[in-house]
Amino acid sequence: MASVPLPVLGSTIFGPATEAEPVAGGEFGFVRPEHAEFPPILIIAVTNVCDMACIHCAHPVISQDPDYKGKMMDPAIHTRIVEETKRFKDQLWVFRYAADGESLLHPRFLDFVDETKRAGIGPVDLTTNAMTLTEKRMRRLLEAPIDVIDVSLDAFKKESYEKIRIKGKFDVVVANTQKLIDMRNAIGSPTKIMVSIIQQKEALDEVEAFKAFWGPRVDEVLVRGLNTDLDIVNVSEVYFKKGLTRWPCPQFWKRVTINYNGDVRFCVEDWRNNGVVGNVCDQGIQEIWKSEAYEKFRKLHSTGRWGDIKMCQPCRDWQHMEWDHGFEKAINKVMNRE
């Protein structure tokens, strides 16, 4: 398939040419040759609506933007994504429902999971805050069966949790998570369950207790880095190392994020959608992945000229996008894949 130019190329994404910066040593590129044909990781944002206002998240900020409107993905767009993805299902690392909102708030979300699983796509992951994870929804997900459910908890203590995950109710989400585990075990569902905590000062001293408590109960405990979401989030303290030589961003070789309206953006942290490179209803995922835009992104990052891309130039969050510790590693581990 020939490279296809996209109309969005230009000043909205690319800035003036910059001098190349040093590039960290390592192997950077497609992990497998077939990944050049289709991204191994798809992140699907079926909504931009959330029922929490976490202090580490961009959503409480962007939801106050004058042009923000809460939206839900049209089922026809989801079907289009599934129909294209199933042609590449054998090379997929993960089909992940996450990004800009709480997926369970979409009234058709359980139907979406059923549709994806009927297409033979997997592993399918849901990242959720678990506030609206009712018993009925648990059963639907476990019987689909969805492959992985990743619950974002972010604290071990009730007081810390409710300072971090504003509008969240600690007792509710802990009870829901335990109920999910119990139901999974009772019905013999193959679904894997993970919980996660972000390294942030409000609960930094709780990480070990969190791991000790949840470790025996779930399939994996994730400890995530604290990001600024391209400086949208005014976090009180960040945990970046000084003096590191920057590496190319793995997103250009590993994953795309698809918004509720079918827009494809190259950065998962691009909450304001300044890096939209196409729409799945117009070009399709493969065409966008093999486009002139993505070829240029990869060339610029490989040569240390990430400064030519407006969003990449000031980015600090690249430190938490390591090539060897991506979300796919956790998925592979719990799914017992190489």
Side-chain angles (χ1 to χ4, degrees):
M1 187 182 212
S3 172
V4 179
L6 294 174
V8 295
L9 293 180
S11 60
T12 58
I13 293 178
F14 299 108
T18 60
E19 291 189 13
E21 298 179 23
V23 179
E27 295 292 328
F28 308 117
F30 296 112
V31 177
R32 300 177 183 171
E34 59 265 33
H35 293 168
E37 295 297 316
F38 196 81
I41 302 173
L42 296 182
I43 300 177
I44 314 298
V46 298
T47 182
N48 65 345
V49 176
C50 190
D51 51 354
M52 289 192 186
C54 303
I55 62 174
H56 53 257
C57 181
H59 192 276
V61 180
I62 64 106
S63 62
Q64 299 304 309
D65 289 352
D67 59 348
Y68 169 83
K69 292 182 180 180
K71 297 287 186 178
M72 301 286 174
M73 179 176 283
D74 188 309
I77 294 176
H78 186 268
T79 296
R80 191 177 184 94
I81 294 168
V82 168
E83 287 300 306
E84 182 175 4
T85 302
K86 72 180 182 181
R87 296 175 14 227
F88 302 94
K89 61 185 179 182
D90 293 337
Q91 65 192 60
L92 202 67
W93 279 347
V94 61
F95 188 102
R96 185 183 184 191
Y97 291 106
D100 295 359
E102 171 53 53
S103 301
L104 287 171
L105 297 180
H106 195 298
R108 296 287 303 277
F109 178 66
L110 298 176
D111 296 332
F112 288 173
V113 173
D114 286 341
E115 180 179 40
T116 306
K117 291 302 298 180
R118 283 196 305 269
I121 294 170
V124 177
D125 165 81
L126 165 64
T127 296
T128 177
N129 61 34
M131 271 290 290
T132 57
L133 192 58
T134 62
E135 286 192 42
K136 183 178 179 179
R137 288 172 173 170
M138 291 178 198
R139 188 169 294 276
R140 279 279 305 271
L141 290 168
L142 293 170
E143 290 179 347
I146 195 167
D147 298 287
V148 183
I149 298 175
D150 168 24
V151 181
S152 301
L153 292 174
D154 295 323
F156 178 64
K157 299 176 182 177
K158 178 183 175 76
E159 182 181 8
S160 306
Y161 176 91
E162 294 183 354
K163 285 181 180 178
I164 293 169
R165 302 192 69 83
I166 308 300
K167 299 183 183 179
K169 296 180 180 179
F170 180 78
D171 294 335
V172 171
V173 297
V174 170
N176 285 350
T177 304
Q178 186 60 57
K179 194 175 295 180
L180 176 68
I181 296 166
D182 293 342
M183 185 182 291
R184 186 272 307 268
N185 296 343
I187 69 175
S189 170
T191 298
K192 305 300 182 182
I193 299 170
M194 304 193 295
V195 296
S196 67
I197 184 170
I198 290 176
Q199 289 180 306
Q200 53 193 319
K201 75 179 184 64
E202 290 79 5
L204 200 59
D205 60 350
E206 299 176 25
V207 172
E208 293 306 315
F210 183 91
K211 289 161 63 177
F213 178 82
W214 288 107
R217 292 168 168 80
V218 299
D219 297 287
E220 183 69 2
V221 176
L222 304 179
V223 180
R224 293 187 165 113
L226 175 64
N227 286 339
T228 69
D229 290 342
L230 300 176
D231 285 325
I232 295 175
V233 183
N234 183 25
V235 291
S236 57
E237 188 173 352
V238 292
Y239 302 92
F240 298 120
K241 296 178 181 178
K242 294 181 180 180
L244 285 183
T245 302
R246 187 167 174 174
W247 52 80
C249 181
Q251 295 191 78
F252 299 121
W253 287 268
K254 290 186 177 183
R255 69 185 182 188
V256 298
T257 300
I258 305 177
N259 293 347
Y260 67 87
N261 62 355
D263 280 347
V264 173
R265 66 190 204 219
F266 67 81
C267 180
V268 70
E269 300 197 43
D270 177 23
W271 288 75
R272 290 198 166 110
N273 300 312
N274 294 314
V276 172
V277 292
N279 188 286
V280 299
C281 298
D282 299 326
Q283 293 113 348
I285 302 166
Q286 184 187 43
E287 187 175 348
I288 294 168
W289 186 244
K290 298 182 70 175
S291 68
E292 178 184 316
Y294 266 91
E295 288 184 1
K296 187 170 182 177
F297 293 146
R298 293 173 189 128
K299 182 176 181 180
L300 290 174
H301 267 250
S302 295
T303 57
R305 289 180 54 205
W306 33 71
D308 289 18
I309 306 171
K310 288 184 175 181
M311 286 194 302
C312 298
Q313 194 278 328
C315 176
R316 293 182 289 163
D317 298 332
W318 60 268
Q319 285 201 22
H320 296 154
M321 295 185 185
E322 299 175 83
W323 284 75
D324 294 332
H325 297 92
F327 187 70
E328 73 276 8
K329 306 294 184 183
I331 294 291
N332 287 342
K333 182 178 178 181
V334 298
M335 297 298 295
N336 294 317
R337 302 169 73 184
E338 292 184 3

